Amino acid sequence: MNLLFSFLMLLACSHLHANTYQNDDFYKLFEQANKAFARHDFDAAINLYSQVIEIRSDLPQVYFNLGIVLSHQKRYQDAIDALESAIALKEHYPKAFFQLGKAYQATGNNEYALQMYRKAHEQDMDYFDPIAPMAGILRDQNNFKRAATFYKKALEIRPRDIQVLLDLANTLNTDNQTEEALEWYFKLLEIIPDNPSILYNIAYTLKKLN
């Protein structure tokens, strides 16, 4: 009985030691990968994240980080695969849907990009990042009114975002919503007074009204 007990304890300790080593190995690699990512050593980060996945393939954050790094390397299809793996493990993942939208947009697939941005927005209405790119695609499709609606949603979150204010004003101007465009140009001028580009846009838009 004592011999059997000792044998079972040895097996248990060996198993525990293996698991502890595996966890230590995982956390060490994951930390190294994140540090490589932070210092923009993307080749090292990709290699380390891939090693982490060999140990633990059930963690969406690892695939998410890997997807971002791959996007930085312009390996967009690989990034898409990684981000889709993250979403497969965690369906409610607005940041992953946003990054997936960026990757699809970088490949020129604006329809898929728009779908991913919409999913990110639907999952978190207060998440700023996907809203302006979604508006930009709609604007490029000449869907100016929908684009303006989303630019305004973005400004509800960040009312003084200069790029969004400018994109909204330009979109309204292109859609011949001249008076409203002027209102947004003047709001921009409050944030960046005497800006030559904004002053030119105001002068140009006033000329359209006359």
Side-chain angles (χ1 to χ4, degrees):
M1 175 68 75
N2 288 339
L3 184 60
L4 178 60
F5 180 77
S6 299
F7 177 67
L8 290 173
M9 284 297 294
L10 180 62
L11 284 177
C13 288
S14 298
H15 180 66
L16 178 63
H17 176 73
N19 282 345
T20 303
Y21 175 80
Q22 187 179 47
N23 288 337
D24 286 347
D25 205 27
F26 158 72
Y27 286 116
K28 185 187 293 184
L29 283 170
F30 190 51
E31 187 176 332
Q32 289 174 354
N34 289 337
K35 286 179 179 177
F37 183 8
R39 66 174 181 267
H40 292 186
D41 187 353
F42 297 133
D43 288 334
I46 290 168
N47 180 48
L48 289 162
Y49 283 130
S50 299
Q51 289 181 55
V52 171
I53 288 167
E54 288 179 10
I55 300 170
R56 291 285 302 272
S57 61
D58 61 333
L59 297 171
Q61 181 68 48
V62 182
Y63 288 103
F64 175 76
N65 288 9
L66 177 60
I68 296 175
V69 177
L70 289 164
S71 285
H72 278 292
Q73 294 283 69
K74 301 186 187 302
R75 292 170 55 182
Y76 297 117
Q77 188 55 56
D78 290 334
I80 287 166
D81 293 341
L83 292 163
E84 286 181 342
S85 294
I87 290 165
L89 292 166
K90 181 181 175 182
E91 291 182 8
H92 191 277
Y93 207 162
K95 289 185 178 180
F97 278 112
F98 167 62
Q99 292 294 336
L100 192 53
K102 285 178 65 178
Y104 274 121
Q105 192 169 12
T107 67
N109 193 337
N110 285 345
E111 286 301 323
Y112 266 65
L114 187 59
Q115 290 178 35
M116 297 304 106
Y117 291 143
R118 277 178 174 153
K119 286 183 179 179
H121 179 59
E122 288 165 4
Q123 289 189 352
D124 185 354
M125 295 287 190
D126 294 324
Y127 181 32
F128 175 83
D129 290 356
I131 304 175
M134 184 164 43
I137 292 174
L138 290 166
R139 179 197 60 209
D140 292 344
Q141 294 174 345
N142 295 330
N143 194 341
F144 300 119
K145 287 179 174 55
R146 287 288 288 161
T149 299
F150 281 111
Y151 282 131
K152 289 173 184 177
K153 285 182 184 291
L155 290 170
E156 289 173 11
I157 302 169
R158 293 187 191 171
R160 294 173 65 85
D161 189 290
I162 291 170
Q163 188 60 56
V164 176
L165 283 164
L166 181 60
D167 287 340
L168 172 59
N170 288 341
T171 299
L172 291 166
N173 214 352
T174 304
D175 195 34
N176 293 317
Q177 305 296 316
T178 314
E179 291 183 4
E180 190 179 357
L182 268 176
E183 291 176 18
W184 291 103
Y185 285 132
F186 279 116
K187 286 183 182 180
L188 262 173
L189 206 58
E190 292 173 9
I191 300 170
I192 42 175
D194 301 323
N195 181 276
S197 177
I198 303 305
L199 290 169
Y200 171 82
N201 283 336
I202 289 171
Y204 174 78
T205 307
L206 285 169
K207 188 176 179 181
K208 284 173 67 176
L209 282 172
N210 297 330

